[in-house]
Amino acid sequence: SFYWEEEPGVLQAMNHLIENGHRRIGMITTPHSNRLRDARVNGYKQALEDAGIPYDDSLVAHGETRKHDGFSEESGYEAMNELLALEEPVTGVFASSDVQAIGAWQAIREAGMEVPDDFSLVGYDDIKVSRFIGLTSVAQNMHYVGEKATDVLLERLNNTGSDAPVSELVEPELQIRKSSMKPVGD
């Protein structure tokens, strides 16, 4: 079996924003507590703490739309509007999924602003459309998992591999694209 730890990918995303000078970084998440949501929020908090930036609850936003458990364009759009309404604006946004980031991007555009000129935006999952629109995202390296799983299967079919269960931690990898390429104050 292959397994993922959420925190390392979130740390990569957040550290990328922090290295580009961001100090007020919003997070778009989902409304209800579950393993995935909590792990990604913990990664967000951890990155801030490591950088000596105080955690601010008001910078963690979620939409109200419930479909897909809150991982949707609509909920990302709603959450970004919450962040846009803050008196002291954020400069960077980490969305816990690419679809939420796409909704956030739309909200930013409707507010008359641009990515990455006004906001740096980073998503999570690296869905195919992210490559086309230039969204920086954390890749789960699914192609690697597919290749590895196929190798293991073929070895077993040919009786060349061991029957011992395979357990491997898949390392996430930040794919940096134009949505986060502008450092703060540039």
Side-chain angles (χ1 to χ4, degrees):
S1 67
F2 296 90
Y3 62 101
W4 288 261
E5 281 179 357
E6 302 300 322
E7 284 93 341
V10 177
L11 284 169
Q12 287 182 34
M14 288 292 293
N15 288 339
H16 168 64
L17 289 169
I18 291 164
E19 281 158 17
N20 275 339
H22 295 279
R23 288 293 169 272
R24 278 183 72 74
I25 301 168
M27 178 174 184
I28 293 176
T29 183
T30 57
H32 19 69
S33 187
N34 58 44
R35 190 192 67 80
L36 194 68
R37 177 197 182 275
D38 296 347
R40 290 185 185 177
V41 171
N42 286 340
Y44 169 82
K45 288 180 175 169
Q46 180 67 54
L48 292 172
E49 192 180 304
D50 291 349
I53 300 169
Y55 169 73
D56 178 350
D57 200 34
S58 72
L59 302 187
V60 178
H62 61 78
E64 296 309 315
T65 300
R66 294 286 174 167
K67 79 169 195 191
H68 303 312
D69 220 16
F71 288 107
S72 68
E73 291 88 346
E74 291 87 344
S75 78
Y77 176 85
E78 294 160 357
M80 189 68 218
N81 279 324
E82 246 178 72
L83 293 172
L84 287 166
L86 292 170
E87 273 180 37
E88 199 188 328
V90 296
T91 60
V93 177
F94 166 63
S96 49
S97 71
D98 285 357
V99 290
Q100 290 169 322
I102 289 164
W105 201 326
Q106 182 59 26
I108 291 166
R109 263 204 300 265
E110 283 182 17
M113 290 178 276
E114 287 299 330
V115 170
D117 300 351
D118 301 298
F119 292 96
S120 284
L121 188 58
V122 179
Y124 202 111
D125 294 326
D126 201 33
I127 59 175
K128 195 201 282 178
V129 75
S130 298
R131 293 200 293 277
F132 289 98
I133 64 172
L135 175 65
T136 295
S137 184
V138 178
Q140 300 275 42
N141 287 332
M142 287 304 199
H143 58 277
Y144 168 78
V145 173
E147 284 167 17
K148 279 297 273 194
T150 306
D151 289 347
V152 169
L153 193 63
L154 288 172
E155 283 172 3
R156 288 193 182 159
L157 287 171
N158 298 326
N159 290 322
T160 55
S162 102
D163 283 339
V166 174
S167 180
E168 185 172 349
L169 175 62
V170 180
E171 291 295 332
E173 195 180 337
L174 187 66
Q175 302 294 336
I176 298 173
R177 302 190 181 99
K178 73 169 190 208
S179 73
S180 65
M181 294 295 271
K182 192 175 163 35
V184 176
D186 215 19

